[in-house]
Amino acid sequence: RSSVFLGSVVLHSALGTCDRLRTASGVIKDKRLRGVGYNGSVSGLAHCDDVGHLMVEGHCLRTRHGEKNLISNSEREHLRDSRVIVIGTPCLDCLKDLAHEGVAEVYYTGIYANSIGKEYIAQIAKEKGMVLKYLNVVFADLFQELFDNLAKKGGVLERAGYKLEVVKKKMK
């Protein structure tokens, strides 16, 4: 079940509109995906992919982070005592926002080396009693598992009469 939630959040990251890091976050509570947010500009304003980045001191300020959009898109009661999955790593401000909303666990899949205040992330999580855990994900394996489940009896791929195989190729 957790691989389905992780896969769903990963797929939402494809909607991100900043090519510096297409990311997303999802909140899970009571065995349900309760909300998702991906990185993108303020509603109604231009996106990085359309007009370029708004760079200040090595950071793009045009884009709202996926965690902030997750909080905007989710009911407060779904955030309190929940688990959040972040595709990437939460920045200090986003972790503080998640902590403020009462999120109990944050699982992240990557390391964003350029994050301001990253040295304080673990400290804030510890002080708030939050679980902060890195997930070492091989995305090809994750999607192969999901595709294999969809090819089982009654699955959409089984009904379509075929299986899908993930093939890893080096990026050029």
Side-chain angles (χ1 to χ4, degrees), residues 26-100:
V27 62
I28 294 100
K29 187 167 182 184
D30 301 326
K31 300 180 183 178
R32 291 184 173 94
L33 184 61
R34 298 293 189 161
V36 177
Y38 54 88
N39 64 333
S41 294
V42 172
S43 181
L45 297 181
H47 294 281
C48 297
D49 288 351
D50 299 327
V51 297
H53 303 287
L54 179 61
M55 298 299 294
V56 176
E57 297 178 10
H59 297 273
C60 180
L61 301 183
R62 186 178 309 284
T63 298
R64 289 186 77 211
H65 290 189
E67 297 92 328
K68 290 190 183 300
N69 286 323
L70 168 69
I71 291 168
S72 295
N73 295 339
S74 302
E75 300 293 330
R76 285 194 114 149
E77 65 266 18
H78 294 156
L79 292 164
R80 185 151 312 280
D81 298 321
S82 67
R83 176 174 25 135
V84 167
I85 298 170
V86 179
I87 307 306
T89 186
C91 71
L92 182 59
D93 280 342
C94 287
L95 184 83
K96 290 188 304 185
D97 289 347
L98 294 172
H100 181 76

